[in-house]
C-alpha cells in the first residue's frame, strides 16, 4: 500500500455517531488498500464536553453550574463506566496518530504523499467548535493533498463572521464533498466552490459487514430502542410500549419510562449497534440511529430535531423513505407506525449512492 491518508474528525467525542462514522471511513479506506490514521487532535471544546465534571466556560449562571455539578455527582458511576468503554473501543478500533494540539499541529508536515481528509461529522459547525477551528479546515501541512469527505456545517448557513477565513482555507482544497444538500448549496453560493454530496461514512459499509461487528448479547424480551429522546420520542415510546406490550431500552443516563425501562447508558458503540439491531422499533431524533436503522431495514420512527433536520431529511428524501419521518406525537395515534416500511427500493438506491460515494472518495485521494 503506497497511498497514505489522515482523517480529521471529532475523534475525541464519546458519541456513538461520531465514533462509528470515524471507524466506518477508516474501514472503507483500509479495504481499498489505503494506509489511514486518524488525527489525534485535542480540540478542548469537543473533548471537554464529554468530561464528567463539564461546564461551558461561557455560562455565567451559578444555579446552572450547581445543577451540572450535582448531576455529575449523581451519575458519576454511570459516566465513568461509559467513558471507559468508549476509550477502550477507540483504543482497539481507531488508528490514532500521536497527540497534537492547536500549537504543534501548525508546524507538522505530513508530506506530499499523504491526503488529508476533513470529515465526516459536523466538523464545520462553528457552534460546536466554539468559533472557527481552522484545523478542521486543514489549515496545516501545506504540502499534503487536501480533500473533505461528507463534512457537515450542521446548520442551514455558514457563520458569516468566518466566511473570509473559511474561503481562504477551502481554496486550498483539491476536492470538497459534504453530507447534506443544504451544505452544498451554502458553499456553492457563498464561496463559489464546486461541491459534491456524498453519503455519511456509516452508510458506506453494508449490512453484512456491520453484522460481523455486533456483540450478539441479546436482551431476552421484545423492546423499543430509544435514542436521543425529546418529548415526542418519550410520548411515542410510552404509547407504543403499552399498545404492543414491549419493554423500552433507553440509552440515556436519565430514566424516562418507569417499570418498562431497561437502561443501557453504559453501552459501548458495538453494544449500541446490537441494541438497535435487535429492536422491534427504533424511535429517535438522531441522524446516525436513522442511518443504521436504514442499513438494518428496521421499523423506525424519526422526529427530526428542530434546526438540525436537514441531515436526516436529505437522507430520507434521497432514499425515498419519507414515511419514516414524523412531526409530532399525534401522528403516532393514527397507528401509522404499524405499517411496513418498503426498503426494497431504498436498498437499491443506497447501493447505488454507496458505490458513487466510494468512487468519488477514492478518485480524489
Amino acid at each position: 500500500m503506497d497511498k497514505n491518508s489522515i482523517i480529521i474528525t471529532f475523534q475525541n467525542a464519546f458519541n456513538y455517531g461520531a465514533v462509528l462514522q470515524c471507524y466506518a471511513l477508516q474501514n472503507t479506506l483500509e479495504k481499498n488498500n489505503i494506509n489511514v490514521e486518524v488525527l489525534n487532535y485535542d480540540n478542548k471544546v469537543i473533548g471537554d464536553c464529554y468530561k464528567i465534571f463539564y461546564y461551558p466556560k461561557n455560562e455565567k449562571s451559578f444555579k446552572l453550574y450547581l445543577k451540572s455539578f450535582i448531576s455529575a455527582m449523581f451519575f458519576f458511576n454511570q459516566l465513568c463506566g461509559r467513558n471507559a468503554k468508549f476509550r477502550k473501543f477507540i483504543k482497539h478500533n481507531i488508528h490514532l496518530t500521536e497527540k497534537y494540539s492547536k500549537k504543534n499541529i501548525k508546524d507538522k508536515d505530513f508530506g506530499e504523499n499523504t491526503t488529508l481528509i476533513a470529515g465526516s461529522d459536523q466538523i464545520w459547525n462553528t457552534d460546536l467548535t466554539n468559533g472557527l477551528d481552522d484545523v478542521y479546515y486543514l489549515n496545516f501541512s501545506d504540502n499534503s493533498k487536501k480533500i473533505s469527505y461528507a463534512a457537515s456545517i450542521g446548520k442551514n448557513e455558514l457563520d458569516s463572521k468566518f466566511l473570509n477565513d473559511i474561503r481562504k482555507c477551502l481554496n486550498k482544497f483539491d476536492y470538497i464533498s459534504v453530507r447534506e444538500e443544504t451544505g452544498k448549496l451554502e458553499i456553492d453560493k457563498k464561496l463559489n466552490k464546486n461541491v459534491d454530496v456524498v453519503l455519511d461514512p456509516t452508510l458506506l459499509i453494508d449490512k453484512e459487514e456491520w453484522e460481523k461487528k455486533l456483540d450478539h448479547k441479546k436482551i431476552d424480551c421484545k423492546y423499543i430502542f430509544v435514542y436521543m429522546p425529546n418529548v415526542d420520542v418519550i410520548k411515542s415510546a410510552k404509547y407504543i410500549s403499552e399498545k404492543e406490550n414491549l419493554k423500552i431500552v433507553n440509552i440515556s443516563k436519565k430514566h424516562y419510562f418507569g417499570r418498562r425501562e431497561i437502561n443501557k447508558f453504559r453501552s459501548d458503540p458495538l453494544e449500541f449497534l446490537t441494541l438497535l439491531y435487535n429492536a422491534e422499533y427504533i424511535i429517535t431524533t438522531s441522524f446516525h440511529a436513522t442511518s443504521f436503522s436504514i442499513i438494518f431495514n428496521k421499523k423506525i420512527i424519526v422526529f427530526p430535531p428542530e434546526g438540525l433536520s436537514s441531515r436526516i431529511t436529505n437522507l430520507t428524501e434521497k432514499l425515498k423513505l419519507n414515511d419514516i419521518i414524523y412531526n409530532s406525537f399525534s401522528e403516532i395515534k393514527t397507528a401509522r407506525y404499524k405499517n411496513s416500511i418498503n426498503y426494497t427500493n431504498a436498498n437499491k438506491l443506497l447501493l447505488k449512492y454507496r458505490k458513487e460515494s466510494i468512487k468519488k472518495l477514492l478518485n480524489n485521494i
Side-chain angles (χ1 to χ4, degrees):
M1 296 192 294
D2 57 0
K3 289 188 176 182
N4 302 309
S5 62
I6 304 284
I7 297 169
I8 295 85
T9 188
F10 293 150
Q11 89 297 337
N12 59 342
F14 294 168
N15 171 280
Y16 296 108
V19 168
L20 289 169
Q21 66 80 22
C22 179
Y23 168 80
L25 184 54
Q26 174 188 279
N27 177 272
T28 300
L29 293 168
E30 286 181 328
K31 285 198 304 184
N32 287 279
N33 298 317
I34 294 170
N35 287 308
V36 56
E37 289 183 294
V38 176
L39 189 74
N40 193 9
Y41 170 58
D42 185 18
N43 176 288
K44 292 293 184 183
V45 179
I46 299 299
D48 284 355
C49 71
Y50 292 94
K51 289 181 177 178
I52 293 172
F53 293 101
Y54 164 71
Y55 193 72
K57 293 181 174 61
N58 59 351
E59 184 54 68
K60 305 298 183 184
S61 169
F62 178 75
K63 286 184 179 180
L64 286 178
Y65 176 83
L66 186 61
K67 183 179 178 181
S68 175
F69 180 82
I70 292 170
S71 175
M73 289 295 294
F74 186 80
F75 293 108
F76 185 79
N77 288 336
Q78 293 102 308
L79 290 164
C80 282
R82 183 178 182 273
N83 287 3
K85 284 190 172 184
F86 266 87
R87 289 190 189 97
K88 183 178 179 181
F89 177 87
I90 291 168
K91 179 180 178 180
H92 291 289
N93 293 278
I94 305 297
H95 310 322
L96 294 176
T97 66
E98 62 182 284
K99 199 162 188 176
Y100 290 97
S101 67
K102 185 85 169 176
K103 289 183 179 179
N104 64 15
I105 191 64
K106 295 295 183 181
D107 299 324
K108 178 65 178 177
D109 186 356
F110 288 100
E112 60 184 13
N113 293 325
T114 296
T115 300
L116 304 178
I117 306 172
S120 177
D121 217 342
Q122 297 182 60
I123 58 167
W124 292 346
N125 185 343
T126 50
D127 293 340
L128 294 183
T129 55
N130 194 28
L132 180 73
D133 185 338
D134 62 3
V135 172
Y136 295 114
Y137 287 88
L138 310 185
N139 193 21
F140 60 95
S141 193
D142 287 337
N143 290 322
S144 300
K145 189 173 186 179
K146 299 181 180 183
I147 71 170
S148 70
Y149 181 81
S152 173
I153 64 174
K155 46 192 176 181
N156 292 330
E157 294 185 341
L158 289 164
D159 196 325
S160 59
K161 295 193 298 290
F162 305 112
L163 271 181
N164 287 334
D165 291 323
I166 291 172
R167 182 180 290 109
K168 287 176 184 177
C169 291
L170 292 187
N171 279 337
K172 298 177 182 178
F173 275 53
D174 298 280
Y175 171 73
I176 300 173
S177 70
V178 295
R179 190 172 64 186
E180 297 102 6
E181 289 288 345
T182 47
K184 169 184 167 54
L185 292 172
E186 184 69 355
I187 295 172
D188 280 347
K189 177 177 68 176
K190 290 189 175 173
L191 302 183
N192 194 27
K193 303 290 292 184
N194 293 321
V195 181
D196 280 335
V197 177
V198 294
L199 292 179
D200 182 84
T202 55
L203 294 159
L204 300 182
I205 299 178
D206 62 24
K207 177 183 178 183
E208 291 71 27
E209 190 70 25
W210 279 120
E211 284 175 334
K212 293 175 185 176
K213 300 295 292 182
L214 302 180
D215 67 11
H216 297 293
K217 294 175 185 175
K218 290 187 178 181
I219 293 176
D220 60 354
C221 64
K222 293 185 177 182
Y223 61 87
I224 299 164
F225 180 75
V226 168
Y227 183 52
M228 296 183 71
N230 63 7
V231 172
D232 288 315
V233 169
I234 293 168
K235 286 181 179 179
S236 300
K238 288 179 177 178
Y239 181 86
I240 295 173
S241 71
E242 292 285 349
K243 290 289 184 181
E244 309 295 330
N245 192 27
L246 299 170
K247 292 286 190 180
I248 302 171
V249 170
N250 174 24
I251 210 163
S252 304
K253 65 183 178 183
K254 293 183 180 179
H255 294 238
Y256 297 103
F257 305 106
R259 62 185 177 81
R260 289 190 174 271
E261 177 168 325
I262 301 171
N263 193 279
K264 291 288 185 179
F265 176 68
R266 297 191 197 192
S267 298
D268 72 17
L270 298 184
E271 290 168 335
F272 164 84
L273 279 186
T274 304
L275 290 168
L276 183 149
Y277 181 83
N278 290 313
E280 298 297 310
Y281 294 93
I282 293 95
I283 309 179
T284 190
T285 62
S286 158
F287 172 82
H288 282 109
T290 302
S291 70
F292 281 112
S293 296
I294 290 170
I295 291 167
F296 294 139
N297 287 188
K298 302 297 295 184
K299 277 195 169 183
I300 182 171
I301 295 161
V302 185
F303 292 97
E306 187 176 351
L308 295 170
S309 62
S310 63
R311 53 183 173 159
I312 293 176
T313 54
N314 283 174
L315 177 62
T316 55
E317 288 169 3
K318 186 186 285 282
L319 299 180
K320 307 291 190 270
L321 286 173
N322 295 323
D323 54 339
I324 71 174
I325 299 295
Y326 290 70
N327 295 307
S328 70
F329 166 66
S330 61
E331 296 178 51
I332 298 296
K333 292 184 176 180
T334 65
R336 179 182 133 206
Y337 69 87
K338 292 186 177 182
N339 297 342
S340 60
I341 300 170
N342 183 6
Y343 277 111
T344 303
N345 188 47
N347 290 336
K348 291 177 182 176
L349 288 170
L350 178 56
L351 179 60
K352 171 178 174 284
Y353 291 126
R354 179 182 295 138
K355 289 179 177 177
E356 289 177 356
S357 294
I358 293 174
K359 184 177 180 181
K360 288 175 181 177
L361 172 63
L362 298 179
N363 283 348
N364 286 284
I365 290 180

